[in-house]
Amino acid sequence: MKTLEAQQVITSEDLLKHWQGHRALTRRLIEMFPEKDFFEFSIGGMRPFAKLVDELLAIAAPALKGIVNREAQPYTEGTEKLIFKAQYLAKWDEATEEINKYWEQLTIEDFSETFNLFGQYEFPIIQNILYFIDNEVHHRGQAYVYLRALNIEPPFFWER
Amino acid sequence: MKTLEAQQVITSEDLLKHWQGHRALTRRLIEMFPEKDFFEFSIGGMRPFAKLVDELLAIAAPALKGIVNREAQPYTEGTEKLIFKAQYLAKWDEATEEINKYWEQLTIEDFSETFNLFGQYEFPIIQNILYFIDNEVHHRGQAYVYLRALNIEPPFFWER
């Protein structure tokens, strides 16, 4: 028993909680953006926050669904055109529920298995999931700069 | 054996690799900043990248040392005044070695134990370590915007 335990450091439940904590913070940032700036504000030619959120939505629930069903669907972004922040928030909340639902179907064996995510990223599933989280933190860091540049005080990073 | 294994999803070794992969990317960003901009460029009143790297250096190796020795030293930043990027890169590489060294001393039991990091953050050690990583990804996301605003193409996020 010792040996296996000795190599593993986080539970599936805690990892979900960690991810959803990050997602709750990202949701707060969406809420804080002025409607217009959410869709238009940009620095250095980077995507406005709405486009980044399109990416986050195209990854999280669809990717987890693909993992659970072992279906390598291609990555598709912004199939549904959202034009209000409120629509993004509704989509975000739907994704939150979907993630919880699919997560329950993940077995432990799944995490170490290799899966060709979106038919493109062939890695152990744990690495894919860590990538979703990191990618969200990365783009949200970008959104923090946008808010500061707009003279809006963002929430503390450690508030989840 | 099943039960314990069934709740844990990443090995200590893989988590270190994950963190050091992120640190390698952050190092590349330090390298890419023009010397002057590393210390001075800022958007929206945020800290220049050098100050963010001061924070990352003040956390990573010192925090891990504190965890391993269970010594809740207070957080101290920029005790040594670095004035060249090359000094930061040298410090970064020292920290890389220290992190590897201290990580070896972490036992599995440590990850789930609570520790009062810097005498301020009382959490399970795994949460503290995930925080170090997230905090680095967050601030590096900020640095990506700085580079773009400086018309410099940053490395791909997934290059580690």
Side-chain angles (χ1 to χ4, degrees):
Chain A
M1 200 182 265
K2 196 70 185 162
T3 323
L4 268 176
E5 189 196 16
Q7 304 195 10
Q8 313 283 340
V9 298
I10 189 170
T11 64
S12 166
E13 192 190 348
D14 283 348
L15 186 58
L16 174 61
K17 209 171 136 193
H18 180 73
W19 187 14
Q20 293 288 25
H22 273 303
R23 294 187 72 260
L25 178 60
T26 304
R27 193 188 191 285
R28 290 194 57 201
L29 262 86
I30 300 174
E31 287 183 298
M32 293 183 84
F33 265 80
E35 188 79 27
K36 190 173 184 293
D37 294 318
F38 180 68
F39 293 95
E40 296 178 9
F41 187 78
S42 145
I43 291 176
M46 299 182 103
R47 288 171 286 175
F49 193 34
K51 288 277 174 212
L52 299 175
V53 176
D54 279 339
E55 178 185 311
L56 300 179
L57 287 169
I59 293 175
L64 206 53
K65 184 181 177 188
I67 286 170
V68 166
N69 299 326
R70 295 292 195 283
E71 274 184 352
Q73 297 285 352
Y75 175 81
T76 47
E77 194 179 302
T79 37
E80 203 179 335
K81 181 88 181 139
L82 309 178
I83 56 169
F84 299 111
K85 242 176 55 174
Q87 295 174 303
Y88 277 87
L89 290 170
K91 272 276 166 200
W92 196 262
D93 294 339
E94 269 175 45
T96 303
E97 294 309 311
E98 282 182 67
I99 289 166
N100 288 339
K101 185 184 80 184
Y102 293 122
W103 195 275
E104 270 180 35
Q105 299 174 48
L106 277 178
T107 67
I108 275 317
E109 290 73 25
D110 287 336
F111 287 94
S112 54
E113 278 178 22
T114 294
F115 175 63
N116 191 15
L117 184 69
F118 299 128
Q120 277 191 80
Y121 307 100
E122 182 118 34
F123 294 107
I125 285 167
I126 177 66
Q127 282 189 33
N128 274 320
I129 292 172
L130 290 177
Y131 184 84
F132 307 159
I133 301 173
D134 293 342
N135 184 57
E136 176 167 342
V137 175
H138 171 71
H139 286 313
R140 192 182 56 212
Q142 197 173 328
Y144 267 76
V145 185
Y146 288 5
L147 282 181
R148 287 277 184 197
L150 289 165
N151 260 311
I152 296 166
E153 170 111 9
F156 289 117
F157 175 63
W158 56 85
E159 283 178 13
R160 304 283 157 84
Chain B
M1 198 180 263
K2 196 71 182 159
T3 322
L4 267 175
E5 188 196 16
Q7 304 194 11
Q8 313 283 342
V9 298
I10 189 169
T11 64
S12 166
E13 192 189 348
D14 283 347
L15 185 58
L16 173 62
K17 209 170 137 192
H18 181 71
W19 187 13
Q20 293 287 26
H22 273 302
R23 294 187 73 261
L25 178 59
T26 304
R27 192 188 192 284
R28 290 194 57 202
L29 261 86
I30 300 173
E31 287 183 299
M32 291 183 87
F33 265 80
E35 188 79 27
K36 189 172 183 291
D37 294 317
F38 180 68
F39 293 95
E40 296 177 11
F41 186 78
S42 146
I43 291 176
M46 300 182 102
R47 288 170 286 176
F49 194 35
K51 287 279 173 209
L52 299 175
V53 176
D54 279 338
E55 178 184 312
L56 300 178
L57 287 169
I59 293 176
L64 206 55
K65 185 181 177 191
I67 285 171
V68 166
N69 299 326
R70 294 294 195 284
E71 274 184 350
Q73 297 285 352
Y75 176 81
T76 47
E77 194 178 304
T79 38
E80 203 179 335
K81 181 85 183 143
L82 309 178
I83 54 169
F84 299 112
K85 243 177 53 176
Q87 294 173 303
Y88 276 87
L89 290 169
K91 272 277 164 196
W92 196 263
D93 294 338
E94 270 175 45
T96 302
E97 294 308 311
E98 282 181 68
I99 289 166
N100 288 339
K101 187 185 77 184
Y102 292 122
W103 195 276
E104 271 180 34
Q105 298 174 49
L106 276 179
T107 67
I108 275 317
E109 290 72 25
D110 287 336
F111 286 95
S112 53
E113 278 179 23
T114 294
F115 174 63
N116 192 14
L117 184 71
F118 299 129
Q120 276 192 77
Y121 307 100
E122 183 116 33
F123 293 108
I125 285 167
I126 177 65
Q127 283 191 31
N128 275 321
I129 291 172
L130 290 178
Y131 184 84
F132 308 159
I133 301 173
D134 293 340
N135 185 57
E136 176 166 341
V137 175
H138 171 71
H139 285 313
R140 191 183 56 211
Q142 197 173 328
Y144 267 76
V145 186
Y146 289 4
L147 282 181
R148 286 279 183 193
L150 289 164
N151 261 311
I152 297 166
E153 170 112 8
F156 288 116
F157 174 64
W158 56 85
E159 283 177 13
R160 303 286 156 83

